[in-house]
Amino acid sequence: MIRSINTLLVPIPTIRAHKLACTVMNEQVLVLVHIQTEDGYEGWGEATTIGGLSYAEESPHSIKTNIDTYFTPLLLKEQPASAAKAMQLLNDHINGNRFAKCAIETALLDIEGKRLNLPVSELVGGRVRDRIEVAWTLASGNTATDISEAKRMIAQKRHRIFKLKIGSNPILDDVAHVLAIKQALPDCRITVDVNQAWTELEAMQGISLLQTGGVDLIEQPISMRNKSALKRLTEHFDVPIMADEIVQDPQNAFHLAADHCADVFAVKINQAGGLKAACLIGQMAHLAGVELYGGTMLEGPIGTAASAHVFSTYPSLRFDTELFGPLLLTEDILVQPLDYQNFGLNVPTGPGLGIEVDSDKVYRYAKQAVAK
Ligand code: MUC
Ligand code: MG
């Protein structure tokens, strides 16, 4: 029986300003869900998004309000006996709110895994890899700073794949920035993420220049509302085009995969509406011949661990992952940090998510944020 569900907003400063086309982040507000059961188990989930409402339609505050007002009373009243039954109940009674649903499912799977003494990866399909490679996003806004940051990451064996955030400057300026970085790091895979900022015509110009300059992957160049243009770009260019914001729930992902609207899907557990939904998207994409990339909403360690469990089950992860969220934050909330080594992350092996949350610290930070 579920005894309590607490939703906490935990703001943590980033190590530097993180500049995207849609926002500049100086802190990340982690949305954490803590579920406790009558028989003494506890589970944690996370529903973090980016830049308030600038990235997605759920904000940290809407997620907390909706969980507290609608999800929690429903779950406490119905007492679903498993994470699967809980998700069926939530999907029957609550429209949308995929981020909030993901946090609840994560916490319930964490409990289920602890109860069964199995890692979450085994509950959502079974892991086929224990380690995943992790890209880093260069988003300081300055070319020279980005190059020295990348060189530091390579020297520390932290990252050797880099993603650049573009779209907020004139196209030729952005292209010059990217190509300067590609030339400085010729052996590294370089992705650009435009976060929907270009029109189709701008994308034709921008991608053509980036392709000639040897850029390896182009992420969500145009609006998520323009599926047919994404398909046209995918067909037109040799450089792989990756869908991100447009990949939402499994049903929409099914149509995108069947129509081959992109060469690669960036899958995010929150955007998918949960861990099993993200697994389903990965399996469908694979069957349709779409390559996979493990995306992040810049979650802290709870969402990152949950994502790692999911991506560990993908039959192929050709474009690796970007599960670096915890490394962008100035504070950790785990007793033992996640195990980043040798350009990757080792997927936790313990029961549930395989992590121990420092709950005193988390509750203290959440309280301090309310008092401000
Ligand atoms: C996005 O659009 O992919 C992921 C990495 C990063 O820096 O921003 C996010 C969001
Ligand atoms: Mg993206």
Side-chain angles (χ1 to χ4, degrees):
M1 290 259 294
I2 299 172
R3 177 153 63 88
S4 61
I5 303 176
N6 292 327
T7 315
L8 310 166
L9 299 185
V10 181
I12 301 188
T14 54
I15 55 172
R16 56 150 167 74
H18 197 66
K19 298 189 177 157
L20 292 77
C22 57
T23 191
V24 179
M25 296 167 63
N26 288 293
E27 69 167 15
Q28 180 58 307
V29 182
L30 307 183
V31 187
L32 306 184
V33 169
H34 183 204
I35 300 185
Q36 289 172 289
T37 66
E38 292 294 356
D39 59 347
Y41 286 95
E42 66 171 358
W44 288 89
E46 181 173 351
T48 296
T49 183
I50 293 173
L53 279 172
S54 58
Y55 192 95
E57 333 77 343
E58 288 170 73
S59 73
H61 294 86
S62 81
I63 293 166
K64 175 168 166 49
T65 300
N66 287 341
I67 292 179
D68 292 348
T69 314
Y70 298 100
F71 288 63
T72 298
L74 182 64
L75 291 165
L76 290 178
K77 176 165 174 277
E78 299 297 332
Q79 291 292 340
S82 66
K85 286 180 176 162
M87 289 307 276
Q88 182 87 358
L89 176 76
L90 294 177
N91 286 325
D92 281 350
H93 289 82
I94 295 175
N95 276 313
N97 288 276
R98 300 187 313 278
F99 289 59
K101 284 174 181 167
C102 177
I104 298 284
E105 190 191 31
T106 304
L108 291 173
L109 285 171
D110 189 24
I111 291 171
E112 227 157 83
K114 287 170 181 164
R115 207 188 281 286
L116 297 168
N117 201 23
L118 284 174
V120 164
S121 55
E122 303 312 300
L123 304 179
V124 297
R127 74 173 64 185
V128 295
R129 65 182 66 74
D130 297 311
R131 177 196 168 272
I132 51 187
E133 183 98 4
V134 177
W136 177 255
T137 297
L138 300 168
S140 72
N142 178 282
T143 312
T145 310
D146 282 358
I147 292 172
S148 49
E149 190 173 295
K151 288 191 169 160
R152 221 170 37 245
M153 297 294 177
I154 296 166
Q156 293 167 359
K157 290 192 155 204
R158 273 259 308 264
H159 309 278
R160 57 187 167 193
I161 306 170
F162 297 98
K163 161 157 142 172
L164 316 186
K165 290 293 197 180
I166 59 171
S168 55
N169 299 310
I171 297 179
L172 294 182
D173 293 357
D174 269 345
V175 168
H177 166 75
V178 175
L179 297 189
I181 294 176
K182 179 71 192 171
Q183 274 154 24
L185 308 168
D187 300 331
C188 294
R189 189 190 311 154
I190 301 287
T191 304
V192 299
D193 190 355
V194 193
N195 283 117
Q196 315 185 65
W198 287 341
T199 65
E200 187 175 1
L201 264 185
E202 288 169 337
M204 287 295 290
Q205 183 196 3
I207 298 172
S208 167
L209 295 167
L210 294 168
Q211 177 173 278
T212 306
V215 168
D216 303 277
L217 182 64
I218 312 284
E219 180 171 344
Q220 198 65 52
I222 51 159
S223 166
M224 58 180 273
R225 301 192 193 285
N226 202 345
K227 174 179 153 183
S228 43
L230 188 67
K231 183 172 161 74
R232 282 192 289 275
L233 295 172
T234 300
E235 283 166 353
H236 184 85
F237 288 106
D238 290 335
V239 59
I241 306 289
M242 180 153 76
D244 178 11
E245 285 91 327
I246 194 173
V247 181
Q248 306 230 332
D249 54 35
Q251 189 157 14
N252 122 296
F254 169 76
H255 292 294
L256 291 170
D259 293 350
H260 206 94
C261 292
D263 299 301
V264 188
F265 282 180
V267 186
K268 297 174 172 171
I269 59 168
N270 276 300
Q271 213 159 258
L275 280 66
K276 288 198 200 148
C279 286
L280 190 51
I281 292 175
Q283 297 291 341
M284 281 189 311
H286 180 70
L287 292 177
V290 173
E291 300 289 354
L292 288 163
Y293 176 85
T296 178
M297 290 302 291
L298 301 177
E299 293 102 339
I302 299 172
T304 298
S307 303
H309 282 280
V310 167
F311 303 148
S312 78
T313 71
Y314 283 0
S316 154
L317 197 50
R318 161 101 196 274
F319 285 87
D320 302 294
T321 81
E322 56 179 18
L323 290 183
F324 67 88
L327 304 172
L328 189 65
L329 305 178
T330 51
E331 289 279 342
D332 205 339
I333 55 159
L334 299 186
V335 175
Q336 278 292 331
L338 291 178
D339 187 16
Y340 287 97
Q341 283 190 39
N342 201 18
F343 304 107
L345 170 65
N346 289 321
V347 185
T349 50
L353 292 174
I355 55 174
E356 191 185 342
V357 175
D358 185 340
S359 45
D360 289 347
K361 192 174 190 181
V362 164
Y363 275 92
R364 193 169 67 247
Y365 282 11
K367 203 165 155 192
Q368 283 164 2
V370 172
K372 264 192 196 160

